Amino acid sequence: TPNRPWWETGVVYQIYPRSFQDSGDDGIGDLAGIERRLNYVFDLGVDAIWLSPIFPSPMADFGYDVADYCGIDPMFGDIVAFDRLVAAAHARGLKIILDFVPNHSSDQHPWFVESRSSRDNPRRDWYIWADAGPDGGPPNNWISDFAGSSWEWDARTEQFYLHAFLKEQPDLNWRNPALKAAMFDAMRFWFDRGVDGFRIDVLWHIVKAKGFPDNPVNPGWTPEMNARDQVFQKYSTDQPEAHQIAAEMRALADSYGARVLIGEIFLPNERHAKWFGTPDRPEVHLPFNFQLIENEWNAERIGQLIIDYEASLPADGWPNWVVGSHDAPRIAARIGEAQARVAAMLLLTLRGTPTLYQGDELGIGKVDIPPDRVRDPQELRQPGLGLGRDRSRTPMPWNGSCHAGFSSVEPWLPLNSDWKERNVAAEADKARSMLTLYRRLLSVRRSTPALNEGTFTLIRADNDVLMFERKLGRVRRTIALNFSNEPRRIDSARGKVILSTLEGVGASGELRGNEGVIVG
Ligand code: ISL
């Protein structure tokens, strides 16, 4: 539809640049590699690419520790390679979304080097510094997302600085007007180069409550749990001033035309929806919705969360969905390959913008990271809790040749253990492969406006079956998904099966085990 923006009609594909395609023989993916694989992305049938961070970085958190907001890490290429990639993407009608990391920089960023050099440095206040608490310890009880206090002592200037993540990721002080102006300049720098939008990392974190009050203690926390859950992040996240900044970011994006802002926001529905802003003062277009990742894979539960999420949206708020990311366990590892096919159908038939994570379209799930190859700082800091993110970040397997065609040398992380059979080339022509299913789903979605902009009506969510209708004008499509591996009756689905997650056709009025169908 001509009058609806591309981020509502399109599908986003997340690329983790370290692991997409190496062209530099160092075992790490890069921008030229992505450019080489653009036809694959285009042929898949997506509309936009979100690139995880590509800026200069010491890589303590693999690029989420930025040392220069207006450059490209030499590992990934240079600004010429970036401009080429954008031009090549645009030539195919693909949009480019960058990952903007405003909450924290690297401790190697020149701003932080200056900030920590003395208490009276002009950039001191660009970061968040505080005196020790009465006992000489940290100023308050805030816990880093990666465990331990959020405060790091700086012996030279005898104050603590705040870091919501690693100590190598000091939090920026968005209450400082000069810092804020510098960050807006960085956004302009990329908009001016033609980028189509930003995914904004931990947007709900960027402002902290004045005076840094203690966060409420979580009485349910036990030592087997993630250390960060010892407290509720009441005063360290979701402050009103952050909404004001989001609105200003939106005004900047709007001043450039059709540019999207996707906010990474983890909050319960009601507060999550506030990040859309209001018609008078809009904030982000798409507050990222992680619910299909965070909830149990169960028809009743999923049916309910869809209803609750839809009900929480403001009148003009457009939904979005995702089943995998570089931070979460692979969908096929979580629920098995047969159900991952059902999840693919759900993702691409719900109302709202879907984001696909690279490799999920191949059904990657079997990954073994030997202890000596673990690289994720989250895993290294709290081993044994199952927090490891490396298993979702393994290199794309392109073919059955050496290192799966990803690189000419040993990649930075191992490949998926079944890469010889599970790779792009092997799946490309197989009717039964996950890749073929994704391509078909994307193509049906593209040719069926009802699946994109049609209304959503839940029909049932019980006895392992999730069923809903999408309707636009006289076009109706029913989606019926079987969350179990046994057959289930679906008496109310009428019409012919347009697409099934399985081969062949089952008995009428019945879903086979692990089957999802689009009927219409
Ligand atoms: O709070 C969470 C879930 O409730 C966490 O998952 C957290 O919000 C998430 O890890 C934030 O992720 C983003 O910022 C991190 C970076 O390590 C991740 O890769 C990125 O996606 C710090 O920049």
Side-chain angles (χ1 to χ4, degrees), residues 246-260:
E248 291 174 47
M249 289 177 171
R250 171 63 175 269
L252 177 68
D254 286 350
S255 76
Y256 279 88
R259 316 289 171 110
V260 72

Side-chain angles (χ1 to χ4, degrees), residues 61 64 104 145 199 201-202 204 264 266 326-327 389:
D61 192 19
Y64 287 93
H104 44 266
D145 252 48
R199 175 267 190 187
D201 190 66
V202 294
W204 89 113
E264 192 202 19
F266 283 94
H326 66 296
D327 292 334
R389 301 177 296 180

Side-chain angles (χ1 to χ4, degrees), residues 276-348:
F276 283 106
T278 59
D280 293 348
R281 205 202 62 156
E283 299 179 25
V284 301
H285 302 90
L286 305 174
F288 215 50
N289 168 21
F290 292 92
Q291 295 187 55
L292 294 177
I293 292 181
E294 301 224 301
N295 282 275
E296 196 194 329
W297 189 248
N298 157 299
E300 289 82 347
R301 178 77 206 102
I302 303 271
Q304 190 59 50
L305 75 80
I306 296 167
I307 292 297
D308 293 345
Y309 174 65
E310 283 270 355
S312 76
L313 298 172
D316 53 347
W318 184 250
N320 74 88
W321 299 97
V322 63
V323 299
S325 82
H326 66 296
D327 292 334
R330 288 273 186 196
I331 181 78
R334 279 170 46 217
I335 64 177
E337 186 175 358
Q339 281 297 310
R341 297 173 71 88
V342 174
M345 184 169 278
L346 176 65
L347 176 66
L348 292 167

